Amino acid sequence: MSFRTSPSLGSARAGATSSADYVEDVSPGVGALAPRAWYATSDAKSLSLNGPWRLRVSATADAEDDAFAAEGYDAGDWAEVTVPGHWVLQGEGAFGSPVYTNHLYPFPVDPPRVPTENPTGDHLRVFDLPEGWPEVSEGGFVLRFDGVESCARVWLNGTDIGEFKGSRLAHEFAVGHLLRPSGNVLAVRVHQWSAGSYLEDQDQWWLPGIFRDVTLLHRPAGSVLDFFVHASYDHVTGEGCLRVDSDADGRVSVPALDIDVATGEAVTAPVQPWTAETPTLYDGVLVTAGERVPLRIGFRTVELVDGLIKVNGRPILFKGVNRHEWHPETGRALDLETMREDVLLMKRHNVNAVRTSHYPPHPAFLDLCDEYGLWVIDECDLETHGFVEQDWRDNPVDDDRWTPALLDRAARMVERDKNHPSVVMWSLGNEAGTGRGLTAMAEWIRDRDPSRLVHYEGDVNCRDTDVYSRMYASHEEVERIGQGLDGGALGRRQLPFILCEYAHAMGNGPGGLADYQKIFEAHDRLQGAFVWEWIDHGVKHPRLGYAYGGDFGEELHDGNFVCDGLVFPDRTPSPGLVEFKKVIEPVALDATAEGTVRVTNKQDFADLSALAFTWAFQVDGETVGSGSLAVPPLAAGESAEVKLPEPPAGAQAGAETGWTVRAVLAEDTAWARAGHVVSWGQVGSAPRALPSFGPAVVPVVPVVPVAGERLVTLGPASFDVRTGELRTLGPVAVTGLRLDVWRATTDNDDGASWQSDVRHGLLWRKLGLHRMRHRLDAVEVGDAALTVRTRVAPAGWEVGLSTAYRWTSDGDRVRLTVSVTPEGDWTVPLPRLGVRFGLSEADRVTWFGGGPGEAYPDSRSASAVGRWQSTVDALQTPYVRPQENGARADVRWAELGGLRIEGDPAFWFTARRWTTEQLDAAAHRTDLVPGETVWVNLDHGQHGLGSQSCGPGPLPQHFLNAAPAQFSFVFTPTDRPTD
């Protein structure tokens, strides 16, 4: 049997050989059939060869001969591993370890040569054909590998059938002439390093193995060889046009559209178009003489019109993520349910697009994108980033010897995935410089599939691409691009712009999402962006919790830079994903006049008929009334002013009141239940507007502090008579209350060297903000207050903070007013500004303010004002590398450990069972051991987050600059325990 010719595929190997020269051959391999469309099911037989295989790992490519591939070879003493899988993630380290680098090749750069030390895994599987299968003489049989890293050589029943490179691409071999009913011996030799490794320098773990499915397919006479579903949509007439080209003649039927047509013939019919918001699929079937193939057809048209990406005649706005395939235990070997979990999480968090960084995903993932509705930029398995270290010298994409391999990779992506309506762009690859090979790829793709656009970020002049794509451009630059003021070639300035990577989600962050989104929505040319990235690539580890780069003894590694996702390794959403969901929500609910909310449908296609709207009225954070809200089914882009009902009676005078309006699913959908919150807004209780709030006011006639031999008593509080340090508040012991400016630096605080010289985390440490000294200047016991004057400053520098703590009381509670005056020339902002103290006992926490999750100055859109409860432990965000986390914003009051704390103004609240210094020193979660003291931070201010671990830092409006400040807290011992 033969399929259509690929751009570069060779013929089958003439005979077996023990040479390993093919490992360093720049060609894509020999023996494989031409690429073709992938489909999950048909009525032809298929046999999964997933499961237990025998494995032998050798240190070099040629350490063992080919004898293991022969019939009768005894592999009884070999280890057993699971396929799909990576051998370095099995066997508890017996087969080597993972290696993580961001862009550096973990071997000498000498293309196409690779090290002699080349871990090589010999895999064996013996299988029988199931009963009821056709005789091996009936039709053809194909052996399919969906993913092997990085180079594989294959034998069946002792015959060498070929070898291939292209780790995340499918390869098929004709094997009907070699099969027998039983006792088939499948042998696969997999090399970790090969010439292909130079084309696969993606930011991820290097993980050898057969990590995707292995399948034997029966191909009956007259079966489908390859087919291409062309399903366009005319937004003017509302008609879809269907044509299915097939290498085997047949017919196509779509019952719901009353279509029954021969392959190769076009037919039109009124249809509902496919979009990411309304993913309408029509069930059909392709029938040839030997096979029935189910089809799921989505009608849609992708065009570049008037400088914009348009689908079905309308411009779209990508609200996307970059997605590496990852599981903390199985690496890039994902099962269907894990892939489905990713898609469901994306849909539930308002994500509408995926860039498959930086290779085609498992093909089943694209089926899910079709079904649930996600725009997809499908990216080729190509990255040569390591060549940047030598100014791109010898870069394979500009070397004609490598062009056949590049074309092969492009063809295997396009042919496999061409029938997915979710795929709207083909991406040539990532961070591979520029060159003739990329141009050849773009030309081949356009010729094969002119129905989609071509993307590549590194093509700054847009010679080979249909969109102007960038990474990590600053807010200011994106604004200029939106206004058409970016310069560059005229052709580029006439193209739509996307940020294929932005908002680096490493550790605590990303900050600045809302600031970006405002810019995207203000300019038509800006068609959205993709957060880097979806998931933290932590490897489950028995001692460290989750391991990252360097934890396996790699000689080159990039640390926890591999943990930069919106979900944690176990797929728990991070605060960053919750923030992203809020920022990109498809319905805006904004306060206008009093008692009115403006509802805006920010979708590109769908109206609001799938949503129901509710209101809730809160008094001091507690809901006292709720109901439904009548909102018209606004079309995409439309707005309406909606009157809220009259507030429920009974609100106390002086109480803070507000409305929360929600848009929820009216009915169950494929991705969430009815009632799922899609969008929400607050009216009258905005986190940064506290018009009716005031802390407990200390009476005009205060309690007089009384100085004893060891303590000063002031109402319910006692203080050290010599130092003025707070000791107790009623029955509650308090430790070490003093000014605090340090936070355990985030990945974004520490920043990336290539982004900017201004990396605040490094500057803070250089200045010594992590080791501030507290000098006591005076303890003043007056008639109305106890005042403690200090200077807080780092050793080695002249700058400091003159700080006064003034304590007053009404007998039942005490008020602390902190006054801070900077001294010297402060050239850097502060990490935080507030007070920290320890409590001997605290567990349950109740607060009125922002929640339920953490928030920071440039990552607070998802913080809703309300009354919340938690435990101290649940306040922590478990970042893979521990760092500053857990702050709650806009807190009016909080109760814990037998104390009620009120703020004037509202404050940032944090509580944890370890000190900031212990948090700062921890490399893994398991380094954090809870102590007997709960440390509480009450902050007047926090510095923004930004995403400078790879992107821009926080915007200036989110800096916490050193400036005179005054803030107060009222402490009241509570009659009832709060734990």
Side-chain angles (χ1 to χ4, degrees), residues 770-786:
H770 60 305
R771 49 175 175 78
M772 299 290 276
R773 306 293 177 86
H774 295 251
R775 186 186 73 202
L776 177 63
D777 288 340
V779 177
E780 302 168 356
V781 182
D783 292 339
L786 169 66

Side-chain angles (χ1 to χ4, degrees), residues 2-22:
S2 64
F3 297 158
R4 184 181 47 257
T5 303
S6 149
S8 58
L9 287 175
S11 60
R13 186 186 303 278
T17 173
S18 60
S19 170
D21 292 346
Y22 62 89

Side-chain angles (χ1 to χ4, degrees), residues 341 344-346 348-349 534 536 565-579 581 877-879:
E341 185 178 358
L344 293 177
L345 278 170
M346 291 175 190
R348 291 167 185 165
H349 288 85
W534 175 243
D536 286 342
L566 289 170
V567 298
F568 297 129
D570 64 358
R571 286 177 162 76
T572 300
S574 75
L577 180 56
V578 176
E579 175 78 0
K581 174 185 178 180
T877 303
Y879 294 110

Side-chain angles (χ1 to χ4, degrees), residues 199 202 358 380-384 397 406 428-430 432 438 441:
L199 304 180
Q202 293 101 338
H358 298 293
C380 195
D381 189 7
L382 173 63
E383 180 167 337
T384 63
V397 304
L406 302 181
L428 303 180
N430 182 68
L438 287 171
M441 293 170 69

Side-chain angles (χ1 to χ4, degrees), residues 526-561:
L526 306 180
Q527 293 201 251
F530 295 76
V531 172
W532 186 267
E533 65 160 305
W534 175 243
I535 188 169
D536 286 342
H537 299 202
V539 177
K540 192 171 183 179
H541 192 281
R543 181 174 55 84
L544 302 175
Y546 291 111
Y548 47 76
D551 289 333
F552 297 99
E554 306 102 302
E555 68 177 4
L556 284 179
H557 67 85
D558 286 281
N560 69 311
F561 200 70

Side-chain angles (χ1 to χ4, degrees), residues 792-809:
V792 183
W797 301 90
E798 64 177 358
V799 297
L801 299 169
S802 176
T803 307
Y805 309 87
R806 186 174 187 272
W807 295 92
T808 57
S809 176

Side-chain angles (χ1 to χ4, degrees), residues 580-662:
F580 191 44
K581 174 185 178 180
K582 174 61 180 169
V583 167
I584 62 173
E585 61 188 4
V587 182
L589 300 162
D590 301 310
T592 53
E594 184 176 354
T596 303
V597 61
R598 176 181 291 275
V599 181
T600 303
N601 182 357
K602 299 169 76 172
Q603 297 179 104
D604 296 322
F605 298 93
D607 64 21
L608 299 185
S609 59
L611 301 177
F613 291 79
T614 67
W615 61 267
F617 186 75
Q618 289 98 18
V619 175
D620 283 342
E622 289 196 289
T623 298
V624 298
S626 61
S628 60
L629 188 66
V631 175
L634 302 170
E638 289 186 345
S639 297
E641 305 254 340
V642 177
K643 186 70 174 176
L644 292 167
E646 289 298 317
Q652 296 180 354
E656 182 177 344
T657 61
W659 302 84
T660 300
V661 180
R662 296 180 176 90

